[in-house]
Amino acid sequence: MATESVLAEYTQVYDPLGHSLALSSLVAALPLVVLFVLLGVVRMRAWLASVIGLLVSLVVAIAFYSMPAVDALNSGLLGAAFGFFPIMWIVINAIWVYNLTVETGHFDVLRRSFASISDDQRIQAIIIAFCFGALMEALAGFGTPVAISSVMLIALGFRPLKAATVALVANTAPVAFGALAVPITTLATVTKLPVDDLGAMVGRQTPILAVFVPLALVFIVDGSRGLRHVWPAALLCGVTFGVFQYVASNFWSIPLTDIIAALASALAVLAFTRVWHPREGYVESSASDPAAVHEAHAGARSPLGGGNDPAAATRTQATGDRTAPDGRGEVLKAYAPYLIIIVVFVIATRVPVITGVAPTKPGASGTGLEAATWIYNWPGLHILSDTGKTVATTFKLNVLSAAGTLLLVSGLLTMLALKVGVGQAVRTYGRTLDQLKFAIVTVMAVLALGFVMNESGQTQTLGLWLAGAGGLFALLSPILGWLGVAVTGSDTSSNSLFGALQVSAAASVHLSPTLLAAANSSGGVLGKMVSPQNLAIAASAVGLDGREGEIFRRVLIWSVAFLAFMCVLVYLQTTPLLSWMVI
């Protein structure tokens, strides 16, 4: 039996080509190069590009890294399973809640409510994509803020392509503290560094980024003219978010950092717009723009691209002609789903008797909601690192405490609040699954690709090669985090993958391990917008399935520009100029 166990183990190798990290890195990067070229140059549909990228990663793992075919395929299965649960489980239920509000007409009420705050789309982009999106990131994470904020922008009259771009770029600064700071706690676990120190250090990097993100959103919506007209509100929003993100992460509560910062920035903008208005308003008109008309027709099929929806067209026509203001009861119902989501998540994640204690290893039991949590050793997958340590290949099935399940509960409560019948809710859920089918395939394929690269050693090869830069590694450190998130779509996964490597590299070049570990998370947030799974979620949400490559090209410049900024910031934090910022 022991012999069979040894035979079943695969030991990772990080320099399979002539024991050269440089040569091996060229091969290890092939799956990513193929994936991004197919998306950005060939303009292939995301699900097909992801499947091809997965096949390339399998070939590289088997042919160059000598990984048994069975282990390579099994690693892909583990990644695909993780792609569906918890990631797509979150997105499916988030979009279902949204679809319930569309079916009942309450989303139109919400749209009019937001429009009453300001009919200027540049201000709406700041409030919805940045502030409200940050709140959704704080509570659920993964693709939830992109999915929900993009369809809200569509309802306010944004062109589908612009709505997707704005939602993706906005989903940056809050990511490191998303899902109640799970990326930070994961980073602390893998690095053995104090979670308070890591949270505080990230809170001295991403708040600076946050200052510029609302300005970028205004530029995306209306170019340089938008910056000239709306920079006071954008700057106020970014500075307020950054200040409260810094204060909360360093002095108050790391898990509540984004909630505090999102609410503070939203209130600041709302108060400011009561006494200040742009010199000229901006509402995009698509009537004279053929490209906009084409996008509008594409998005009009359904907010999720699921086919023609005559009922939705009727509602749109009716609401377009509406002149009477909505009653307070209707407005409250419109906000109810999102208030329910906030309450459910706060109770489920912050009330100890309900939250309970999660199991920490296979076979252990939890309490509270975590009593329905099981951790499995993935069958047939036994992997060792090059040092002989066992590589974790577990799968966590937290049925009740998962963010997707909490969104499902929120949806059930939304049914009661909006008086939606069971039959209608079930039909809506079925349509949601149909609308997201290609996004589900894309996300599962991308996560399978990421896990094959991780388990075979391809990702570690790229990381070790970058870590060989010596003292300049501080300049490259955020790129590792960016790479991890670009592949997996998750800052949590990136921290789990590269956190320990960052600490090891820091020790070898005599830099602060806390600084470089934090840089992994801060750099990672900028890979979120180019992650194929997030691109697929955004495209599906706005009804532009198959145009992920076009969205990718629009957000890539912002991802690279912000990443360069973060690289310079982290490097300067290793010099006397900004070393005072380091924990």
Side-chain angles (χ1 to χ4, degrees):
M1 193 61 135
T3 302
E4 291 179 2
S5 177
V6 172
L7 291 175
E9 290 175 347
Y10 164 70
T11 301
Q12 293 176 334
V13 56
Y14 306 141
D15 53 356
L17 268 67
H19 300 294
S20 168
L21 276 177
L23 289 177
S24 300
S25 294
L26 292 177
V27 174
L30 276 177
L32 298 179
V33 172
V34 168
L35 177 61
F36 288 131
V37 168
L38 292 178
L39 278 176
V41 179
V42 181
R43 305 186 183 186
M44 185 176 291
R45 294 175 71 92
W47 72 267
L48 183 56
S50 300
V51 170
I52 294 174
L54 169 60
L55 293 176
V56 173
S57 71
L58 289 169
V59 170
V60 171
I62 297 168
F64 294 97
Y65 282 76
S66 302
M67 189 179 201
V70 172
D71 284 345
L73 291 170
N74 207 7
S75 296
L77 287 175
L78 175 57
F82 182 75
F84 185 81
F85 188 95
I87 295 177
M88 285 310 298
W89 181 234
I90 293 172
V91 178
I92 289 169
N93 290 304
I95 297 299
W96 175 58
V97 173
Y98 160 76
N99 277 349
L100 289 177
T101 67
V102 172
E103 289 289 334
T104 58
H106 287 91
F107 195 82
D108 289 323
V109 179
L110 184 67
R111 173 184 59 81
R112 290 191 291 270
S113 177
F114 273 111
S116 69
I117 296 172
S118 173
D119 57 4
D120 191 307
Q121 289 185 333
R122 299 164 298 190
I123 302 294
Q124 292 168 350
I126 294 172
I127 295 174
I128 295 173
F130 188 77
C131 300
F132 186 73
L135 184 60
M136 290 295 99
E137 179 67 36
L139 296 171
F142 295 102
T144 308
V146 171
I148 292 180
S149 60
S150 58
V151 292
M152 291 181 74
L153 293 174
I154 286 284
L156 288 167
F158 280 70
R159 290 166 50 183
L161 194 57
K162 184 175 287 187
T165 303
V166 168
L168 285 166
V169 174
N171 190 219
T172 49
V175 170
F177 295 96
L180 297 175
V182 168
I184 303 297
T185 55
T186 300
L187 185 62
T189 300
V190 299
T191 61
K192 311 302 180 186
L193 296 172
V195 66
D196 289 342
D197 288 353
L198 289 171
M201 190 65 243
V202 173
R204 301 178 186 201
Q205 294 169 341
T206 56
I208 301 174
L209 173 69
V211 173
F212 300 99
V213 174
L215 294 168
L217 301 183
V218 169
F219 184 85
I220 293 171
V221 174
D222 190 29
S224 58
R225 180 183 62 178
L227 282 178
R228 292 194 304 271
H229 292 174
V230 189
W231 70 264
L235 187 61
L236 173 67
C237 179
V239 169
T240 303
F241 187 95
V243 167
F244 278 89
Q245 192 179 52
Y246 163 73
V247 172
S249 61
N250 278 263
F251 306 107
W252 295 342
S253 169
I254 291 174
L256 297 180
T257 292
D258 274 351
I259 295 177
I260 294 170
L263 293 175
S265 57
L267 290 173
V269 174
L270 291 176
F272 186 60
T273 54
R274 290 292 178 267
V275 297
W276 171 91
H277 301 283
R279 185 175 60 194
E280 295 177 12
Y282 178 81
V283 177
E284 188 170 59
S285 173
S286 60
S288 60
D289 186 344
V293 172
H294 172 74
E295 287 180 31
H297 284 306
R301 294 194 305 268
S302 160
L304 296 173
N308 291 318
D309 184 359
T314 302
R315 284 193 303 273
T316 301
Q317 183 178 6
T319 54
D321 297 336
R322 185 185 182 108
T323 57
D326 297 299
R328 289 185 179 180
E330 287 300 303
V331 173
L332 181 59
K333 284 184 178 180
Y335 280 93
Y338 303 100
L339 296 175
I340 288 171
I341 289 174
I342 293 172
V343 171
V344 168
F345 272 86
V346 169
I347 292 175
T349 56
R350 301 304 297 171
V351 179
V353 68
I354 295 177
T355 304
V357 177
T360 56
K361 58 184 179 179
S365 59
T367 61
L369 291 178
E370 298 292 354
T373 296
W374 295 271
I375 299 178
Y376 302 97
N377 286 315
W378 195 255
L381 199 57
H382 306 284
I383 297 178
L384 301 177
S385 69
D386 65 337
T387 60
K389 294 182 179 180
T390 300
V391 175
T393 54
T394 56
F395 180 74
K396 182 179 179 181
L397 187 64
N398 52 329
V399 177
L400 295 181
S401 63
T405 303
L406 298 180
L407 283 168
L408 177 62
V409 172
S410 300
L412 296 175
L413 295 174
T414 295
M415 288 172 55
L416 298 176
L418 303 186
K419 298 180 180 179
V420 178
V422 174
Q424 182 182 5
V426 171
R427 288 191 296 272
T428 302
Y429 204 97
R431 284 194 293 271
T432 301
L433 290 174
D434 179 65
Q435 292 159 353
L436 287 173
K437 57 181 179 290
F438 290 116
I440 293 172
V441 172
T442 301
V443 170
M444 293 179 69
V446 168
L447 265 295
L449 178 154
F451 271 66
V452 170
M453 290 186 66
N454 297 346
E455 307 305 332
S456 65
Q458 296 171 56
T459 309
Q460 291 84 343
T461 296
L462 295 172
L464 288 169
W465 178 64
L466 287 175
L472 287 177
F473 179 65
L475 192 65
L476 304 177
S477 177
I479 297 177
L480 269 182
W482 182 93
L483 178 66
V485 177
V487 173
T488 66
S490 164
D491 200 39
T492 299
S493 298
S494 178
N495 287 344
S496 178
L497 183 62
F498 288 131
L501 176 61
Q502 295 274 12
V503 171
S504 176
S508 65
V509 296
H510 307 293
L511 295 174
S512 166
T514 301
L515 170 63
L516 296 194
N520 193 84
S521 194
S522 298
V525 307
L526 304 170
K528 192 88 168 177
M529 67 181 84
V530 296
S531 166
Q533 68 186 56
N534 262 18
L535 290 170
I537 290 168
S540 295
V542 300
L544 295 179
D545 290 297
R547 297 177 66 179
E548 294 86 357
E550 192 171 348
I551 300 172
F552 171 73
R553 290 191 297 277
R554 291 204 173 203
V555 300
L556 179 61
I557 183 65
W558 294 104
S559 179
V560 172
F562 282 140
L563 177 62
F565 170 82
M566 187 59 66
C567 289
V568 172
L569 174 63
V570 171
Y571 177 74
L572 291 178
Q573 288 177 330
T574 68
T575 69
L577 184 63
L578 295 181
S579 60
W580 53 270
M581 297 178 66
V582 180
I583 295 292

